[in-house]
Amino acid sequence: AMKRWRIEIADSAGTPLAAAPPVAFLRLVLEAAHEEFAPVPLLALLKHPLAACGMAPGTLRARARALEQAALRGPRPPPGIDALKRIAKGKADWLGDLARRRAPLTTALAAPRQPAEALLRAHIAAAEALAAAETGDGAARLWAGETGEAAARFLDELAPALRDLAPIRPADYSELLEALLSGAVVRPRYGTHPPLAILGPLEARLQRFDLMILGSLNEGVW
């Protein structure tokens, strides 16, 4: 609501890291890998702003729309890249490159059990390869900005912590990652309005201000 007046305001609760664009992209990469290029997760991945596959992002989205029209409207195609290529009749030769970029994750998911750290590193490698554009490497695009830096820092700290886990089934990796992301938040470091802040009950009790507005007060409930 404050953005209606172009006011960026600090919120003590932060923004869930799971909702940040880099993490949303990581989740789409994993879903597309699990679903073997099923139409819905594949299109969601290809149309994400961070997806590039070695092209300009706009070029990739145009090709994704052409693929959708040629092969993904109508009966669901069989799983896999080769089936999409046959249905698209030569209009999607770039799908082979997409499969190569996703290969580290595909290989890791194919094993009966894998160390969680190995799955995470394969996941990151595939995401960075899919985010690479014609004018820059994927890591620079994927981890740019405050949310990207926060996501990279979280994953860098998470990887060594996963070494203590016993190998897991790749099918369980998605749920493990979601559980670990559930409590992580991003808080802006700069650019917010200096004298304004949104505080929760705990933070509000510990600070003093010239003016405090108490919102959403019902009997017995903040």
Side-chain angles (χ1 to χ4, degrees):
M2 298 300 291
K3 288 181 180 178
R4 293 169 58 191
W5 291 276
R6 299 180 184 176
I7 294 175
E8 293 290 338
I9 189 165
D11 181 355
S12 65
T15 302
L17 184 60
V23 178
F25 184 68
L26 283 168
R27 294 159 85 180
L28 290 174
V29 170
L30 183 60
E31 184 180 2
H34 275 306
E35 296 292 330
E36 298 186 46
F37 289 91
V40 172
L42 175 61
L43 289 174
L45 172 63
L46 295 178
K47 293 181 180 182
H48 191 279
L50 285 171
C53 296
M55 318 172 203
T59 301
L60 176 63
R61 283 192 286 276
R63 293 189 176 186
R65 287 191 293 270
L67 174 66
E68 180 181 5
Q69 294 172 357
L72 301 180
R73 293 182 180 178
R76 179 181 174 126
I81 287 291
D82 292 337
L84 288 178
K85 284 184 176 180
R86 288 194 299 271
I87 297 171
K89 298 179 181 178
K91 294 182 181 180
D93 293 337
W94 52 274
L95 281 173
D97 181 61
L98 170 66
R100 285 190 294 273
R101 292 174 185 272
R102 200 198 62 171
L105 182 58
T106 305
T107 303
L109 293 175
R113 287 189 175 270
Q114 279 277 18
E117 182 188 9
L119 286 166
L120 176 63
R121 295 197 183 280
H123 188 185
I124 292 171
E128 290 179 348
L130 291 167
E134 58 182 359
T135 56
D137 69 279
R141 295 187 68 241
L142 187 59
W143 313 121
E146 275 190 358
T147 55
E149 291 175 11
R153 187 165 54 250
F154 174 83
L155 295 173
D156 283 343
E157 294 171 356
L158 177 61
L162 293 177
R163 292 172 191 165
D164 295 332
L165 292 180
I168 64 172
R169 296 185 308 142
D172 297 331
Y173 168 67
S174 178
E175 291 185 16
L176 173 64
L177 186 61
E178 292 291 336
L180 293 170
L181 284 167
S182 62
V185 298
V186 183
R187 294 182 176 88
R189 297 195 302 267
Y190 52 84
T192 56
H193 201 285
L196 299 179
I198 297 175
L199 302 177
L202 176 61
E203 296 89 344
R205 289 191 188 101
L206 299 176
Q207 301 186 54
R208 301 181 70 87
F209 293 90
D210 294 330
L211 174 66
M212 297 185 72
I213 300 171
L214 305 183
S216 299
L217 285 172
N218 294 325
E219 185 175 353
V221 178
W222 277 84

